[in-house]
Amino acid sequence: MRVIVCGAGQVGYGIAEKLAAEQNDVTVIDSSPELINRIREALDVRGFVGHGAHPDVLSQAGADQADMIIAVTLYDEVNMVACQVAHSLFAVPTKVARVRAQSYLQPHWQDLFSRDHMPIDVIISPEIEVGEMVLRRLALPGAVETVRFADDKVVVVGVVCEPDCPIVDTPIRQLTELFPDLGAVVVGIFRGNTLFVPHINDAMLEGDLVYVAARREQVARTLGIFGHEEPEANRVVVAGGGNIGLYVAKALEQRHAGSKVKIIEASRERAIDIADGLKRTVILHGSALDQAILTEADVRHADTMIALTNDDEANILTSVMAKKLGCRRNLCLINNTSYHAFARALGIDAHINPRAVTVSKVLRHVRRGRIRGVHSLQNGSAEVIEAEALETSPLVGKPLRELDVPDGIRIGAIYRAGNVIIPRGDTQILANDRVVIFTVGGRVRQVERMFRVSLEFF
């Protein structure tokens, strides 16, 4: 696939890195020579210095032969115009744009991005995507990762095996014997620095991060089996009143009448501005790194501290300080992937990588086959994919135990006619089923082939 990426910042770099690693033909455009030089030196991509919305620059980048343009510069208007130019002058089939300003995304303006007006096929709003992920973590505080598939009927959670985990050292095959009616299946384990699909005789060890696919109504019970029965967070302190912090606070006010939210914002102007848009949330002006401000926010009685500033180091330190002052749990944004490996050792219960959230959103539209959803795990070491099975799929019509599924791939759930089926050896996948699959990074292409239309079908 030939892809043009406009913007070589953190998100653009992450998208280019992922697509280039999968042997796509990638070209990156950015107005910064430094960013283009960096991406040329690090990745197998072409780079052009210039304005991503200018026709001559897009022409040099090969827009007339591109299959997709992904515009993720810092400016919404540049992203939108780049897609419009790509459509009008170069007939690029698929156009993806990052749009951060919520004014463009209001429901009553939804026709703006139609083919008759501004033809953008996929709108990515990082604030909404990351905000929703924060809210899902608050709803399931025992999980360090939470992703929903199949119309929200299937949830894939990441849960850490703490020293007091009741099923540590238990072979996976025994879980079915111990909990025969549990609607969940272990699909992956992150141990040390390796993410792998376990065999049925493998046991979960202390310190493992275990990924489990479960029916939505069985998630709380699944977390309880792992020793995580933490109640949903109702008392929340948010560090950072930016777009994400404001989105989370508004959502909590609307969805959880009993929640108590406090926001700590360093900018006085911003604090006054967001106070006008919130009803029950308490706004505190000051630095979240100031212990006096944390004390004033009564962080010691809070269920969760959420650090959502644009500064990774400040987010980490704020989260650690809150925990030391008595806060039950913490959750923070960490953009720098080099911090992820030791975040837990520093006392971070859970973290979210905004770049990974955006990349996952893009991958859904890059993947070949009937792909409905994609979520990247551990910096691309694995993916959870929701795909629709076609009549020609090699997965259809045979018991799972008879399928030649390669190592590194695990079927986590099957969604059929509104019902979730937890796969067993005698389960069969039917045409039009939506299948949730966990796959290590090196097996993604094989998963795609399983869900592509065979030429023999025509």
Side-chain angles (χ1 to χ4, degrees):
M1 181 178 287
R2 295 176 177 175
V3 183
I4 295 176
V5 179
C6 297
Q10 287 189 345
V11 172
Y13 185 99
I15 292 170
E17 181 181 36
K18 184 67 175 176
L19 296 181
E22 297 179 1
Q23 310 306 312
N24 292 287
D25 186 342
V26 181
T27 301
V28 182
I29 301 171
D30 199 282
S31 57
S32 167
E34 293 79 10
L35 290 179
I36 289 298
N37 287 334
R38 183 189 68 153
I39 209 166
R40 280 174 177 164
E41 293 172 0
L43 306 178
D44 183 17
V45 303
R46 288 187 298 275
F48 287 89
V49 177
H51 195 291
H54 287 179
D56 58 334
V57 176
L58 287 171
S59 179
Q60 292 178 46
D64 58 329
Q65 298 180 357
D67 300 300
M68 176 183 290
I69 183 170
I70 303 171
V72 287
T73 74
L74 295 175
Y75 307 101
D76 292 351
E77 291 73 19
V78 172
N79 297 337
M80 292 188 287
V81 173
C83 290
Q84 178 72 68
V85 172
H87 172 81
S88 300
L89 299 184
F90 302 103
V92 176
T94 305
K95 298 157 288 290
V96 181
R98 178 170 66 174
V99 178
R100 306 179 71 176
Q102 298 304 298
S103 177
Y104 289 121
L105 305 176
Q106 297 297 321
H108 48 281
W109 308 129
Q110 59 185 355
D111 288 341
L112 174 63
F113 300 110
S114 66
R115 295 188 67 83
D116 294 333
H117 298 99
M118 190 169 290
I120 301 176
D121 302 293
V122 182
I123 297 291
I124 299 174
S125 175
E127 286 77 13
I128 293 177
E129 300 291 338
V130 174
E132 286 296 327
M133 184 159 285
V134 169
L135 293 167
R136 290 196 291 270
R137 299 282 180 88
L138 290 175
L140 295 169
V144 299
E145 189 117 24
T146 307
V147 196
R148 295 183 180 183
F149 296 94
D151 300 336
D152 289 348
K153 297 292 182 65
V154 176
V155 182
V156 176
V157 295
V159 56
V160 175
C161 290
E162 305 286 3
D164 58 350
C165 175
I167 56 175
V168 161
D169 297 326
T170 302
I172 290 174
R173 59 179 169 77
Q174 288 188 14
L175 292 181
T176 303
E177 301 170 8
L178 293 171
F179 310 100
D181 60 339
L182 181 64
V185 59
V186 174
V187 292
I189 295 177
F190 185 63
R191 179 179 297 161
N193 292 315
T194 303
L195 187 57
F196 63 95
V197 172
H199 295 286
I200 60 171
N201 291 321
D202 290 337
M204 293 165 287
L205 307 181
E206 180 182 330
D208 282 354
L209 172 55
V210 180
Y211 290 97
V212 183
R215 293 190 182 98
R216 184 179 61 187
E217 62 272 16
Q218 290 283 319
V219 173
R221 183 186 175 201
T222 301
L223 292 174
I225 289 171
F226 279 84
H228 291 275
E229 297 180 308
E230 297 90 336
E232 183 173 352
N234 289 313
R235 292 173 295 181
V236 178
V237 178
V238 179
N243 290 333
I244 299 175
L246 179 60
Y247 181 88
V248 169
K250 279 187 175 180
L252 288 173
E253 284 189 348
Q254 294 167 3
R255 304 177 194 179
H256 302 279
S259 63
K260 298 180 179 179
V261 184
K262 297 176 182 177
I263 295 179
I264 301 172
E265 170 54 45
S267 165
R268 180 176 178 81
E269 292 74 19
R270 179 63 179 174
I272 294 172
D273 187 41
I274 62 176
D276 292 336
L278 295 167
K279 298 177 180 178
R280 293 184 287 106
T281 301
V282 176
I283 312 297
L284 300 174
H285 171 229
S287 170
L289 293 174
D290 185 343
Q291 185 171 330
I293 289 291
L294 291 176
T295 301
E296 184 180 350
D298 197 21
V299 74
R300 69 190 183 96
H301 291 126
D303 297 319
T304 304
M305 176 78 203
I306 312 175
L308 303 175
T309 75
N310 291 323
D311 187 323
D312 286 352
E313 290 81 3
N315 289 340
I316 292 171
L317 286 172
T318 297
S319 299
V320 172
M321 287 175 62
K323 198 80 176 288
K324 292 293 185 182
L325 290 173
C327 185
R328 288 185 182 180
R329 293 182 60 80
N330 55 39
L331 167 64
C332 68
L333 296 189
I334 303 180
N335 286 280
N336 190 333
T337 55
S338 63
Y339 292 157
H340 295 173
F342 52 85
R344 191 158 188 84
L346 292 174
I348 304 300
D349 294 313
H351 64 271
I352 294 174
N353 180 358
R355 184 178 75 174
V357 174
T358 304
V359 171
S360 293
K361 180 80 171 181
V362 171
L363 287 178
R364 172 184 172 184
H365 302 277
V366 175
R367 292 278 173 261
R368 298 172 176 86
R370 295 288 185 89
I371 306 300
R372 287 177 167 266
V374 175
H375 186 77
S376 181
L377 300 171
Q378 300 296 334
N379 297 324
S381 297
E383 290 181 13
V384 185
I385 299 173
E386 180 191 343
E388 183 179 341
L390 302 171
E391 292 180 22
T392 55
S393 170
L395 299 178
V396 169
K398 296 180 182 178
L400 294 184
R401 65 167 61 92
E402 296 180 13
L403 294 178
D404 185 20
V405 178
D407 287 343
I409 298 174
R410 175 65 52 81
I411 296 173
I414 299 166
Y415 186 58
R416 179 185 302 158
N419 297 312
V420 177
I421 301 169
I422 298 301
R424 305 294 182 218
D426 58 352
T427 304
Q428 293 188 27
I429 295 172
L430 305 181
N432 302 318
D433 282 353
R434 287 155 63 178
V435 186
V436 178
I437 292 183
F438 182 98
T439 174
V440 296
R443 298 292 188 186
V444 169
R445 285 288 183 241
Q446 288 174 280
V447 172
E448 288 181 334
R449 286 195 289 270
M450 292 176 183
F451 294 93
R452 293 180 69 180
V453 177
S454 170
L455 290 176
E456 298 173 357
F457 184 71
F458 296 98

